[in-house]
Structure formats: structure tokens, C-alpha cells
Amino acid sequence: MIDIKQEIKKINNKGPILGTFEGSQNVGMTLEKALGKKPDRKSEPDFYGIEIKSKGKGNIYKYITLFNCGPIGKNQEIIRIKEKYGYFNKKNKTAYKIFNIAVYCNKLVQIGGNRLATIKIDYQTNEIKLLILSPYLEILDDKCRWSLEELKKRLENKLNFLCYIKADKYVNNGEKYFSYDDVRLYKLKGFNEFLKLIEMGYIRINFKINYYKSGTLQGKTYDHGTGFEIYESALDLLFTKIDWNLHMWNIWDQGNKKTILFKYS
């Protein structure tokens, strides 16, 4: 029997942990390593049925990645979008295009050139569509799509339970240390709430399409993942917060199946 609250408490009792990773993922990867979890990009939850999300308390980035899901056609569609609607990186001044764009359902964003982009939920085809528009709002392209069935499966499989952790950061001799004492547990409300939040603009789709900068694949498309991201303050609209002090809960590993059982008071 494993209790994630006690596991994190054990980690904190050891004092601040040295961060051993680089960049914005340092907080989360350091925690996962302390929990004995190896890095991955799987669609299953991180820890015995619970998806773990973490960030530093001083991190001003307001969005949390719920999960990554490429459009129908995956790599071929990612390459098509980048080559057709991407733009050149002004900083690096290379001949390779990138497509780093966050798109919303409730507003238009400008992409390469004078084109605009938005997303739309089509309940007749059961898809989310990326719409590329002209300055006159004519639809130029709607081929980039996501199946609602696939998104529902991803959401319910990975985020039925969410543990959201905000970490304190300490710096000593140029090295970063973290402690994880702000721990919140959530239960997913449902897929309908997910769709409503997309329509309201609280959940966006973030493309992170770049290129290999060196090696034998230099110039080839490198996809960092197409993220479905939620505005942090909207977490309570998608999830129900579970009070540690009011609910007793345990986690069991039944054979090869990882399951989580809550006993509500």
C-alpha cells in the first residue's frame, strides 16, 4: 500500500533536495526522481493512478500542461503545419521554420505572415479543428484536427486524479534546491467540463514545433509535443479539490493494474 502524501512527506523530511536537471523541468523532474519514477512521456498517470504536476512558487508561467496530444496524422500533420504556416526564427536567422503558437477557441492569434488562427469544437464531426484564416476571416485551412474520442481517453486515463505541488526554491553556491510542502489533490469532474473550458479560452492548444539544431538530423522537424494547457486559476473548474484532512484515501497495486481507491467521509 502506497500513500503519496506520506511519500512526499518522507522526501521533505530529508530537507531541500538538490535539483539535478536543467531548465523549467527541474522542479518536476527532481521530484519524480525522488519518488523513484523514471522520466517518460507516456499517457498513463505518473504515480499509481495519480498524475503529478509541479512548479516553483516563483514561476510566473500561468499555464499547466494537462497532456500532450498530436493532431490526427501526427508527425506528417505536424510537418505540414510547420512548413506551410510556420515562420523563421528571427533570433537564429536560419533557413528552418518553427511553429511555436498557442491557439484559443475564444480569440484569434496571428501566425506567420498575415494569417490568423483559432480553434473550434465541431460537435457534428466530434473533432477539434485548427482554423487558419485570412485577414478577412476566410477559412484557408481546417485539416489539422483532434478526435474528441481520443482526447476524452487521454484526459480520463491520465488525469482522473491530479496531485498539484508548488515547490519552494533555495539557491546555495549556485545550485538549486527544492522542497515540496504545498501539495493539493484533485478529482477530475469530467470531459464536458474540459470542452467547456476550451470554448471559454481557459484551456488552449500550444504547438511547440522546432527543428534539430545540430547532428545528422539538423534542420529536420523536432516536435516538443502539442500541449493541452489549462490556465492555473481555472483548475477548480476542471477538478474537484480533495481536502487531505477530510478524506481518508489509500492506493493499492492490484496485480499488474495500478488503481486508486478513495474513501470519502
Side-chain angles (χ1 to χ4, degrees):
M1 185 172 68
I2 298 175
D3 185 329
I4 190 172
K5 183 181 179 182
Q6 292 302 317
E7 293 299 312
I8 294 174
K9 185 177 180 180
K10 290 177 187 176
I11 292 170
N12 284 326
N13 286 342
K14 298 176 183 177
I17 305 172
L18 174 64
T20 53
F21 298 87
E22 298 293 332
S24 60
Q25 294 184 328
N26 195 0
V27 174
M29 299 287 278
T30 298
L31 175 60
E32 290 185 7
K33 182 180 178 181
L35 287 169
K37 179 183 178 296
K38 295 181 180 180
D40 62 54
R41 294 176 66 179
K42 293 181 179 179
S43 58
E44 292 84 17
D46 290 318
F47 189 84
Y48 292 89
I50 303 175
E51 177 67 9
I52 299 173
K53 302 289 184 184
S54 57
K55 66 183 291 187
K57 290 182 180 177
N59 188 336
I60 61 173
Y61 190 69
K62 297 300 183 182
Y63 284 87
I64 301 166
T65 301
L66 295 170
F67 57 86
N68 287 329
C69 184
I72 297 170
K74 296 186 179 178
N75 291 341
Q76 289 183 342
E77 181 58 22
I78 288 294
I79 293 171
R80 186 188 77 86
I81 285 292
K82 187 192 74 142
E83 292 303 318
K84 194 165 185 178
Y85 302 110
Y87 54 92
F88 296 103
N89 190 329
K90 294 180 180 179
K91 292 182 180 179
N92 296 338
K93 296 181 179 179
T94 67
Y96 309 120
K97 289 183 177 180
I98 61 176
F99 193 78
N100 294 331
I101 298 289
V103 287
Y104 305 78
C105 197
N106 67 337
K107 64 180 179 180
L108 300 170
V109 296
Q110 187 170 2
I111 59 174
N114 60 354
R115 301 184 183 97
L116 302 168
T118 186
I119 51 176
K120 174 187 176 183
I121 301 177
D122 189 331
Y123 290 100
Q124 291 186 332
T125 63
N126 287 319
E127 294 172 322
I128 292 180
K129 299 178 180 179
L130 171 68
L131 303 182
I132 308 295
L133 308 172
S134 75
Y136 305 103
L137 304 185
E138 300 167 320
I139 297 177
L140 303 175
D141 193 322
D142 66 352
K143 296 178 182 177
C144 186
R145 305 178 179 196
W146 293 260
S147 159
L148 294 189
E149 182 181 357
E150 177 62 26
L151 293 176
K152 185 175 188 291
K153 183 171 69 174
R154 293 281 182 111
L155 179 72
E156 294 178 348
N157 185 48
K158 192 171 182 67
L159 285 154
N160 196 25
F161 293 99
L162 169 67
C163 185
Y164 182 47
I165 305 168
K166 301 190 80 169
D168 285 303
K169 182 177 74 172
Y170 310 90
V171 179
N172 185 22
N173 293 326
E175 294 184 313
K176 296 177 182 178
Y177 293 78
F178 302 104
S179 62
Y180 302 88
D181 55 353
D182 186 351
V183 183
R184 310 170 197 180
L185 185 66
Y186 295 91
K187 173 75 172 70
L188 179 68
K189 290 181 178 179
F191 187 61
N192 287 337
E193 285 77 9
F194 175 78
L195 295 180
K196 288 176 185 176
L197 291 174
I198 291 177
E199 291 177 325
M200 295 169 67
Y202 288 115
I203 293 177
R204 67 185 189 179
I205 300 177
N206 192 9
F207 290 91
K208 302 179 287 291
I209 312 174
N210 217 302
Y211 59 88
Y212 288 95
K213 295 178 174 59
S214 61
T216 57
L217 296 176
Q218 182 175 356
K220 298 291 185 181
T221 299
Y222 179 69
D223 182 19
H224 291 269
T226 305
F228 282 72
E229 302 178 343
I230 187 169
Y231 197 68
E232 184 176 357
S233 63
L235 274 177
D236 288 340
L237 299 178
L238 183 60
F239 298 93
T240 299
K241 190 175 181 181
I242 298 174
D243 192 325
W244 294 106
N245 300 316
L246 296 179
H247 304 286
M248 296 177 58
W249 58 285
N250 295 309
I251 305 167
W252 286 271
D253 187 350
Q254 291 183 341
N256 294 323
K257 280 190 173 182
K258 294 179 180 178
T259 61
I260 178 166
L261 301 176
F262 282 82
K263 183 177 180 181
Y264 292 90
S265 59

